[in-house]
Amino acid sequence: MKITLLRQAHLPLLMLPAVFPLPLLAADDSSNTMVVSAAPVSSGLSELDTPAAVSVVTGEDMRQAAPRVNLSENLTSVPGLQIQNRQNYAQDLQLSVRGFGSRSTYGVRGLRIYVDGIPATMPDGQGQTSNIDIGSIDHVEVLRGPFSALYGNASGGVINVDTQTGQQPTTVEAGTWYGSYGSWRNSVKVSGATGDGTHAGDVNYTVSASRFTTHGYRDHSAAQKNLGNAKLGVRLDDVSTLTLLFNSVHIDAQDPGGLTADQWRANPRQVVSNVSLYNTRKTVDQTQGGLHYQRQMGENDDLSVMMYAGIRETTQYQSIPASVQSSASHPGGVISLTRHYQGIDTRWTHRDALFSIPVTLTGGLDYETMTEYRKGFENFTVSNGVYDYGTKGNLRRNERNLMWNLDPYLQTTWQLTNKLSLDAGVRFSTVNFDSNDHYITAGNGDDSGDTRYHKWLPAASLKYAFDNSWNAYLSAGRGFETPTINELSYRSDGQSGLNLRLKPATSDTIELGTKKRIGNGLITASVFQTDTQDEIVADTSSGGRTTYKNAGETRRRGLELGLDQQFAYDWHLKMAYTLLDARYRTNACGDDSCDGNRIPGIARNMAYAGLEYAPEQGFYAGTEMRYMSNIAADDENDVKAPSYTLTALNSGYKWLVQNWTLDLFGRVDNLFDRDYVGSVIVNESNGRYFEPAPGRNYSVGLNVSYAFQ
């Protein structure tokens, strides 16, 4: 059998996946040739033809001999993406693209994350990855650079996750995985379809559920996570489809916190005494649902409407000493959040010709809103003069926060000649904050307030195709990143009210790139420069209140190289290299000491190499190596997490017996038992910057599926 890689047609960057996509693999019996698309056909982004830095990772690659717990397992091959496991399920992954998002102490900042078209990023720019079910991923798209501005409140990039669309035959899959430190995961998935998706009444479905539990590498880092995901598609008639989406996640996780450099060297598994005393921990419950309606309005027109709503409840216990909370203005050591969020994204796509030039026009309106009820409590109770730490005490904060954004957008694609194309778009983003303080006492004034931000976000790219397998592009765009409601909450002068002096960070990016298909592989290269005005950084941290300020100017310059090569049928090679020089260009420390310093949390060099032998059945094996240079932990660059190189091995055997598929595998991570810091907490006020990562660790897994044919 001959394998041919097929180049996809270039589609608008903002297109959402189809409800009934064409299959990823299609066999041509007459020529015995298998056609493999450069990216999943359900995706609107083609790695080769999109005039931007974009990487597509398939769900099969994400799941290959992997625990299937965190996105950090198999996305490290993406250039420009720095994704690290904190070994702390109370704080989510540390994720940044081209250095944006590196300052986040919890969750994800500076990026937009979508799962089946539903934002996992709230209107203020704070996002999370805990609701992503790796077991049902179809593909993950990572878009870096100027065109990410067209997705709204973010500066660095976009991560778009599409889950599997069910197809015939009906398949049931069960999996189990066991690893070091008392870690295990059990999962089940059912997928299928009635009909082929082309007739009214045809239905497809994918339903999955999993449970993950770990004792944790570090002391006081145990966690458990229950996750469910469902996707149901219905063809209403010949021209319209409806997709129903449901997702739910529950997390209970202890929080081990960070360590100083000396503590990490002495014993990386330890926690500081306050962590145990106050039993630091976090509980998250999130449930959301969505409806995606698509209709072909005519031969040249398509309509897409995405509606969703959800609720996320979070309770977090922090290790703030009772003595510190004696201040009347202190918000307490327990955070209680309830967030109701919803939104609608409506878009129209029209294809036509103007003066014989083929043109695609996509226009839409995106509205998102979130109502947050935030309370703070003391993390202790007192009875007869005896303190009981790690329990919810007196109320110390009570506010209602409303955030919404309204963004009209327009994007066009012009095929100027057979070789030259132009993509251009603009988004006008409006982000509104309104805070109502209901906890006003002597010494704790009214912190209510409101503010609104507006920004035009243009982007354009010119691409020249030397031939069907090689092109080059030049793109430019502007993005912006607003403060989160937490960053707006307090003023550095100690006065009441929102920190209205804090402005959004605005970034201008220019990028030059080229892509070349070589046999059954793709090589990509891009260079870029991003200049940011009003970068948001920590200002003061005192009495339990952290305030923020604008740091003036920063500059990011980088080089990204990627190679994804399939050869000799069953061999697959992936390589990536990122050079990122990210520095302050003006004062960020209150004096001149930080001018020219590296922006903390960002590695200057990253490299990845992975080689895999993976036939359709039988024995398979793979190895990968990952290098990360040192990372500054503070603005002064006085503390750095050292560089490291990690090696991992995996091997397994896959049986295909009639309708059964059995996949048994094992893996070793950190093969040479390196001591390293998995992530850093940027500008941690107590100097506990380091979050240690485990040494050599082992795991085994078994996946069994049955197809009802």
Side-chain angles (χ1 to χ4, degrees):
M1 178 181 289
K2 186 180 75 174
I3 296 181
T4 303
L5 244 116
L6 184 67
R7 187 176 68 94
Q8 276 192 310
H10 172 47
L11 298 175
L13 290 169
L14 289 170
M15 291 290 288
L16 285 175
V19 176
F20 290 95
L22 297 174
L24 175 61
L25 299 179
D28 183 346
D29 295 332
S30 61
S31 62
N32 199 29
T33 298
M34 181 171 288
V35 179
V36 184
S37 65
V41 179
S42 61
S43 165
L45 296 181
S46 163
E47 287 190 83
L48 175 63
D49 292 323
T50 299
V54 59
S55 300
V56 180
V57 181
T58 67
E60 291 303 315
D61 285 345
M62 295 288 295
R63 290 183 287 272
Q64 177 70 15
R68 307 184 185 184
V69 176
N70 297 298
L71 283 180
S72 57
E73 295 162 6
N74 283 315
L75 281 185
T76 52
S77 62
V78 175
L81 174 63
Q82 182 177 310
I83 181 168
Q84 297 170 282
N85 189 342
R86 299 179 187 270
Q87 305 299 319
N88 183 349
Y89 289 90
Q91 304 297 347
D92 216 330
L93 301 175
Q94 188 177 70
L95 195 157
S96 66
V97 171
R98 295 185 172 178
F100 289 100
S102 62
R103 79 169 188 275
S104 180
T105 56
Y106 63 93
V108 179
R109 291 282 287 117
L111 311 175
R112 293 285 290 177
I113 302 174
Y114 293 87
V115 182
D116 286 327
I118 300 178
T121 304
M122 296 296 102
D124 66 343
Q126 187 72 48
Q128 46 81 33
T129 64
S130 57
N131 68 317
I132 298 174
D133 175 30
I134 295 177
S136 61
I137 287 177
D138 182 79
H139 62 275
V140 180
E141 301 165 341
V142 182
L143 174 64
R144 315 179 297 279
F147 267 102
S148 61
L150 295 179
Y151 287 77
N153 187 7
S155 298
V158 177
I159 295 179
N160 181 51
V161 179
D162 278 337
T163 62
Q164 293 173 324
T165 297
Q167 57 186 7
Q168 295 178 333
T170 297
T171 303
V172 178
E173 178 182 338
T176 187
W177 170 87
Y178 297 89
S180 300
Y181 317 115
S183 303
W184 60 268
R185 174 195 51 80
N186 290 329
S187 63
V188 63
K189 179 175 68 176
V190 180
S191 65
T194 62
D196 61 2
T198 62
H199 303 89
D202 286 351
V203 173
N204 65 71
Y205 54 89
T206 300
V207 181
S208 62
S210 65
R211 178 177 175 85
F212 166 73
T213 297
T214 181
H215 296 161
Y217 161 67
R218 296 181 59 197
D219 298 335
H220 198 79
S221 62
Q224 65 178 27
K225 176 180 176 180
N226 299 327
L227 177 61
N229 197 73
K231 183 177 182 180
L232 172 67
V234 181
R235 178 161 287 283
L236 302 178
D237 52 41
D238 291 343
V239 295
S240 61
T241 59
L242 182 68
T243 303
L244 309 175
L245 304 161
F246 176 81
N247 180 272
S248 181
V249 62
H250 170 81
I251 300 173
D252 281 314
Q254 295 176 322
D255 187 349
L259 298 177
T260 66
D262 290 339
Q263 290 169 338
W264 169 64
R265 294 186 182 95
N267 178 12
R269 302 185 71 168
Q270 68 174 305
V271 297
V272 297
S273 58
N274 273 356
V275 166
S276 300
L277 179 64
Y278 289 94
N279 188 19
T280 56
R281 61 198 187 274
K282 188 175 185 179
T283 302
V284 175
D285 286 283
Q286 176 177 299
T287 301
Q288 67 182 24
L291 285 173
H292 185 197
Y293 176 74
Q294 292 175 295
R295 184 176 183 86
Q296 185 177 351
M297 305 302 294
E299 184 178 350
N300 298 320
D301 295 276
D302 300 313
L303 172 68
S304 170
V305 180
M306 182 75 212
M307 298 177 290
Y308 61 90
I311 181 172
R312 183 177 177 91
E313 298 176 296
T314 304
T315 302
Q316 182 176 4
Y317 287 75
Q318 301 171 295
S319 60
I320 300 175
S323 58
V324 175
Q325 299 176 55
S326 60
S327 169
S329 61
H330 197 282
V334 180
I335 300 172
S336 178
L337 285 175
T338 299
R339 289 180 159 184
H340 298 268
Y341 58 93
Q342 50 273 318
I344 180 170
D345 187 356
T346 303
R347 67 186 59 180
W348 188 290
T349 300
H350 177 69
R351 295 168 294 276
D352 209 332
L354 183 63
F355 303 114
S356 73
I357 298 175
V359 177
T360 300
L361 176 68
T362 299
L365 183 66
D366 180 21
Y367 174 70
E368 302 173 15
T369 181
M370 180 181 74
T371 302
E372 174 189 272
Y373 299 93
R374 179 184 290 264
K375 293 184 178 181
F377 300 87
E378 294 172 343
N379 58 359
F380 61 89
T381 56
V382 183
S383 178
N384 298 322
V386 178
Y387 281 76
D388 184 11
Y389 299 105
T391 59
K392 185 184 292 187
N394 296 322
L395 181 70
R396 300 300 296 271
R397 185 177 184 179
N398 184 11
E399 62 192 40
R400 188 227 63 173
N401 300 310
L402 174 64
M403 287 149 279
W404 58 263
N405 69 268
L406 181 66
D407 293 20
Y409 56 85
L410 180 68
Q411 184 179 346
T412 61
T413 298
W414 302 73
Q415 190 64 48
L416 302 178
T417 69
N418 290 334
K419 294 182 177 295
L420 188 64
S421 63
L422 171 67
D423 284 70
V426 65
R427 186 182 187 109
F428 182 71
S429 190
T430 300
V431 182
N432 185 85
F433 295 87
D434 185 5
S435 180
N436 292 276
D437 190 356
H438 301 301
Y439 183 79
I440 304 171
T441 64
N444 186 75
D446 188 353
D447 289 318
S448 300
D450 62 86
T451 188
R452 183 176 297 179
Y453 304 111
H454 304 279
K455 186 65 66 175
W456 286 98
L457 306 175
S461 182
L462 193 63
K463 185 190 73 174
Y464 183 82
F466 300 100
D467 54 42
N468 289 339
S469 65
W470 181 27
N471 62 63
Y473 65 89
L474 175 66
S475 61
R478 169 170 295 173
F480 92 133
E481 181 180 340
T482 69
T484 65
I485 189 61
N486 189 54
E487 292 167 345
L488 284 170
S489 294
Y490 301 123
R491 294 167 50 173
S492 57
D493 58 10
Q495 299 299 309
S496 301
L498 294 182
N499 185 8
L500 299 181
R501 293 183 178 179
L502 197 59
K503 297 180 290 185
T506 303
S507 300
D508 294 310
T509 300
I510 185 167
E511 176 180 317
L512 177 64
T514 185
K515 305 177 185 183
K516 172 66 175 175
R517 179 70 66 196
I518 302 177
N520 292 331
L522 180 68
I523 185 169
T524 63
S526 61
V527 294
F528 65 89
Q529 176 174 300
T530 301
D531 291 321
T532 302
Q533 302 286 336
D534 299 317
E535 186 102 21
I536 300 172
V537 299
D539 186 10
T540 64
S541 182
S542 177
R545 289 188 168 189
T546 300
T547 64
Y548 296 83
K549 66 179 181 180
N550 296 111
E553 299 179 5
T554 62
R555 171 169 287 176
R556 294 166 170 85
R557 288 175 170 171
L559 165 68
E560 296 168 352
L561 302 174
L563 172 66
D564 190 341
Q565 182 73 48
Q566 180 183 347
F567 59 96
Y569 296 104
D570 298 325
W571 291 87
H572 193 183
L573 173 66
K574 283 189 176 183
M575 301 181 71
Y577 172 71
T578 302
L579 169 65
L580 178 58
D581 184 49
R583 297 185 180 274
Y584 292 116
R585 301 185 67 199
T586 56
N587 171 34
C589 302
D591 53 39
D592 293 333
S593 62
C594 288
D595 290 358
N597 280 10
R598 291 166 53 188
I599 301 174
I602 303 172
R604 179 179 171 84
N605 293 276
M606 295 188 297
Y608 172 90
L611 179 63
E612 179 181 53
Y613 172 70
E616 185 178 358
Q617 61 180 317
F619 170 80
Y620 62 86
T623 183
E624 61 180 359
M625 295 185 66
R626 182 163 63 96
Y627 169 76
M628 186 86 67
S629 65
N630 65 52
I631 298 175
D634 60 347
D635 288 330
E636 292 81 3
N637 292 181
D638 293 332
V639 180
K640 293 184 176 69
S643 62
Y644 60 85
T645 301
L646 301 179
T647 303
L649 294 176
N650 72 78
S651 181
Y653 198 92
K654 183 179 292 186
W655 291 270
L656 301 180
V657 182
Q658 295 181 344
N659 297 344
W660 292 90
T661 301
L662 285 78
D663 184 2
L664 176 66
F665 69 90
R667 62 179 298 120
V668 183
D669 289 290
N670 194 359
L671 178 66
F672 298 107
D673 200 23
R674 302 299 189 195
D675 293 327
Y676 73 104
V677 175
S679 60
V680 299
I681 306 172
V682 173
N683 290 328
E684 210 281 337
S685 58
N686 298 299
R688 297 195 289 265
Y689 303 107
F690 292 173
E691 295 182 290
R696 185 187 299 114
N697 58 96
Y698 308 88
S699 63
V700 295
L702 173 65
N703 297 294
V704 180
S705 66
Y706 181 81
F708 293 86
Q709 292 180 327

